[in-house]
Amino acid sequence: TQLLEQSPQFLSIQEGENLTVYCNSSSVFSSLQWYRQEPGEGPVLLVTVVTGGEVKKLKRLTFQFGDARKDSSLHITAAQPGDTGLYLCAGAEEYGNKLVFGAGTILRVKS
Amino acid sequence: EAGVAQSPRYKIIEKRQSVAFWCNPISGHATLYWYQQILGQGPKLLIQFQNNGVVDDSQLPKDRFSAERLKGVDSTLKIQPAKLEDSAVYLCASSLDRGSDTQYFGPGTRLTVL
């Protein structure tokens, strides 16, 4: 069974600070996705990275896929209270789109 | 475009009782997924349908859980009988087809088993 480990589990920071969340595995994934989930809602897809070494930017969010396609990171610049939520990484195992999720990182941004 | 709909949003039952959840995917989406998300964990895939056929149910506890998607649209997930450890949020998701990398999630049903 492929596992994804996320760190840290919980992060509480002040508005304006930068942060990085990590997603690591010993397995190779065909692609890796990052989701954001708010209380009482389902996860919402933020980005999909496919190529080893790929970097994608979404406004203040920067996503990177490791060269070996085993790990990924999410960096948020100048965090805002609206960034508060649960951030989940998920690896796609093979064609068929089966996703394996990490346990998530709870981010709280205080104003 | 309407999103994935789920009902009920909340359900409280006693152990050994039965419960059913309903999901209506996005119109035209061939693939439907049921996930279990226990507090403090990420979602775990229970079952995946392609139209009305099961693609993957390897993590579905088949002694108590069942799911169907008879007409290839709506789906129901049933637990009979429920155990305390079934307390979780049950998420339904859909995607255009198996090769699509985007899954759209519903708001989930929060189940509490007492």
Side-chain angles (χ1 to χ4, degrees):
Chain A
T1 303
Q2 294 175 295
L3 295 174
L4 277 168
E5 294 185 357
Q6 284 190 243
S7 62
Q9 289 181 301
F10 181 77
L11 198 54
S12 180
I13 61 172
Q14 290 293 134
E15 181 177 2
E17 292 183 357
N18 302 332
L19 67 114
T20 302
V21 176
Y22 299 93
C23 178
N24 296 295
S25 175
S26 58
S27 303
V28 176
F29 293 98
S30 61
S31 67
L32 198 136
Q33 300 181 335
W34 285 92
Y35 291 80
R36 180 166 166 262
Q37 185 176 19
E38 297 193 46
E41 301 295 330
V44 175
L45 180 66
L46 296 173
V47 77
T48 301
V49 285
V50 179
T51 307
E54 182 177 4
V55 177
K56 281 192 174 179
K57 292 190 176 182
L58 185 66
K59 296 183 180 179
R60 293 178 293 100
L61 278 60
T62 301
F63 305 86
Q64 186 163 5
F65 202 12
D67 291 340
R69 292 187 290 128
K70 294 182 179 180
D71 55 86
S72 181
S73 63
L74 158 60
H75 182 79
I76 301 179
T77 303
Q80 304 294 313
D83 296 328
T84 293
L86 174 67
Y87 288 83
L88 295 159
C89 66
E93 289 189 333
E94 58 188 290
Y95 181 79
N97 206 26
K98 180 176 179 178
L99 292 177
V100 175
F101 281 85
T105 294
I106 298 173
L107 172 63
R108 179 187 174 198
V109 182
K110 296 175 285 187
S111 57
Chain B
E1 178 182 84
V4 177
Q6 289 189 245
S7 68
R9 293 296 310 274
Y10 305 92
K11 189 75 177 177
I12 301 174
I13 62 173
E14 294 189 350
K15 60 183 179 183
R16 290 188 290 274
Q17 285 187 323
S18 302
V19 65
F21 313 126
W22 174 80
C23 172
N24 185 18
I26 293 173
S27 178
H29 280 195
T31 311
L32 185 147
Y33 314 80
W34 282 102
Y35 289 87
Q36 179 193 58
Q37 186 175 21
I38 293 173
L39 187 64
Q41 299 180 20
K44 182 184 81 171
L45 180 68
L46 293 176
I47 189 167
Q48 177 182 345
F49 291 94
Q50 179 70 13
N51 296 309
N52 60 350
V54 175
V55 173
D56 185 344
D57 62 358
S58 57
Q59 298 191 95
L60 186 73
K62 299 180 187 63
D63 58 333
R64 298 184 299 107
F65 286 64
S66 63
E68 59 183 15
R69 193 185 183 200
L70 292 177
K71 297 183 179 179
V73 181
D74 294 5
S75 176
T76 56
L77 176 69
K78 296 179 182 178
I79 307 175
Q80 181 180 6
K83 292 185 176 181
L84 297 177
E85 58 261 37
D86 297 333
S87 293
V89 175
Y90 290 85
L91 295 163
C92 179
S94 70
S95 65
L96 202 56
D97 59 38
R98 285 183 67 185
S100 172
D101 66 356
T102 302
Q103 295 185 25
Y104 298 87
F105 285 81
T109 296
R110 180 175 295 278
L111 172 68
T112 301
V113 182
L114 303 175

